[in-house]
Amino acid sequence: MRTAVITAAGQVETREIPVPDIGDSEVLVRIAACGICTMEANLYAGRMTVYPAAAGHEISGWVERIGAKAAALEDMPAVGSLVALDGLPRCGACRSCRRGQTAICVALQGHKREDGAITMGAGLAEYIALPASRVWSVGDADPAVAAMGEPLACVVHSLRRGGFRAGDRVTVIGAGYMGHLHLAVAAQLQARGVAVVERDEQRLAAIAATGADAAVTPEDVGQLPPADVVFVTIASKEAIASALAAVADGGTIVLYGGGPGGPPAELPGYEVHRRQLTVTGSFSHEPDDWRAAAELLRGGRLSARLETLVTARYSLDEVEKALKQAAETPVYRVVVTP
């Protein structure tokens, strides 16, 4: 089978390796679509330097073969079913995993394959073998939308981390891809209102058109009703300032977006103390988050909105073009379809 490997900044090669074997508790999936996330874009751009990387962790595909033990599971998707995949492994043994905090497992980077590539999802390929526990049925959907199961699970996790409840008022800082997903999921889960704060005029207009209750620039954040939960999907001092201005007394700020080289956050300790604010972070996802995300996809309630977030589609032969566009051009989601 063909598999794409990022070998250095700005360099990617397509390799031929055997179709993976599966164990009794595993499933072989023929990959239908793989989204290019920030991680893959950063690897290609050289902002992350884990090489050679078999990347791509936002994956959908069709079940090709099922191991004997997996086939006996009551809710195992049938051969031919479209599924979304949890492409990032958990070790199950580190302190975080033992405490049930698998989102912050120390082993998310994966392992070395026989060709020397480090598996970081390995979804930029034709096939993938995964434990049955990481395979989720999503019903009938555009495979590019089904590949959004992983970021949707991340957003569900973010809402859980923020203590979100139906009827809460929500503000999202940032109208990029993850900002759109936070808006869509919060609205679907019955937020009382969802406002978005964004400086870029084009992105502000785009997210306003999707049904945000309000869409304003940082200068106008004071016009918004105070939010019970604020999700910060971009890393900047201005974003933190907007969150502090948007959150209600006693509310919660979730720091979702960020990167290792991002600017330092400025959180005024007295304001957090005096207003009894909760400030927390959210990273990756856990099994319960996947369960909710798969249900959202199966219901088709978000399909039309999610389809608008597919910026471009490339074949596996065009993977370098896909990575280049995702790394260098403002996009929502670039998708590779083998």
Side-chain angles (χ1 to χ4, degrees), residues 158 173 178 182 231-236 240 254-259 281-282:
S158 181
I173 311 297
M178 298 311 302
H182 274 82
F231 298 96
V232 182
T233 68
I234 52 178
S236 72
I240 297 297
V254 180
L255 302 182
Y256 178 89
S282 183

Side-chain angles (χ1 to χ4, degrees), residues 141-186:
D142 178 343
V145 169
M148 296 181 186
E150 196 274 345
L152 279 175
C154 290
V155 170
V156 171
H157 187 67
S158 181
L159 266 65
R160 291 187 196 275
R161 294 285 299 165
F164 170 83
R165 296 174 294 183
D168 278 354
R169 195 177 293 279
V170 167
T171 293
V172 179
I173 311 297
Y177 177 69
M178 298 311 302
H180 274 269
L181 292 190
H182 274 82
L183 165 62
V185 175

Side-chain angles (χ1 to χ4, degrees), residues 32-36 58 60 141-149 151 176-177 180-181 297 302-314 322 325 330-337:
C34 182
I36 304 295
E58 298 182 1
S60 70
D142 178 343
V145 169
M148 296 181 186
Y177 177 69
H180 274 269
L181 292 190
L297 286 171
L302 298 179
S303 294
R305 176 174 287 184
L306 297 183
E307 285 173 2
T308 67
L309 299 178
V310 180
T311 301
R313 302 175 191 237
Y314 293 91
Q325 182 174 3
V331 295
Y332 291 123
R333 207 38 116 234
V334 174
V335 177
V336 174
T337 56

Side-chain angles (χ1 to χ4, degrees), residues 207-290:
I207 205 162
T210 67
D213 294 282
V216 302
T217 63
E219 289 77 15
D220 293 328
V221 68
Q223 299 177 8
L224 299 174
D228 300 295
V229 192
V230 177
F231 298 96
V232 182
T233 68
I234 52 178
S236 72
K237 293 181 180 180
E238 182 181 64
I240 297 297
S242 292
L244 288 165
V247 69
D249 289 352
T252 299
I253 296 172
V254 180
L255 302 182
Y256 178 89
E266 292 186 354
L267 285 170
Y270 179 75
E271 184 174 355
V272 172
H273 153 70
R274 179 65 182 83
R275 297 176 61 195
Q276 290 199 163
L277 302 179
T278 298
V279 181
T280 189
S282 183
F283 179 77
S284 196
H285 43 69
E286 293 172 353
D288 278 350
D289 308 315
W290 262 103

Side-chain angles (χ1 to χ4, degrees), residues 88-141:
L88 294 177
R90 277 36 173 192
C91 73
C94 69
R95 177 181 180 274
S96 297
C97 283
R98 287 177 180 273
R99 289 168 58 88
Q101 298 171 312
T102 59
I104 47 177
C105 171
V106 299
L108 291 182
Q109 186 169 291
H111 63 278
K112 277 194 175 184
R113 292 191 312 208
E114 289 186 5
D115 66 331
I118 300 167
T119 57
M120 302 177 70
L124 295 171
E126 292 181 302
Y127 291 91
I128 190 170
L130 288 173
S133 60
R134 290 161 54 195
V135 177
W136 298 88
S137 176
V138 294
D140 296 326

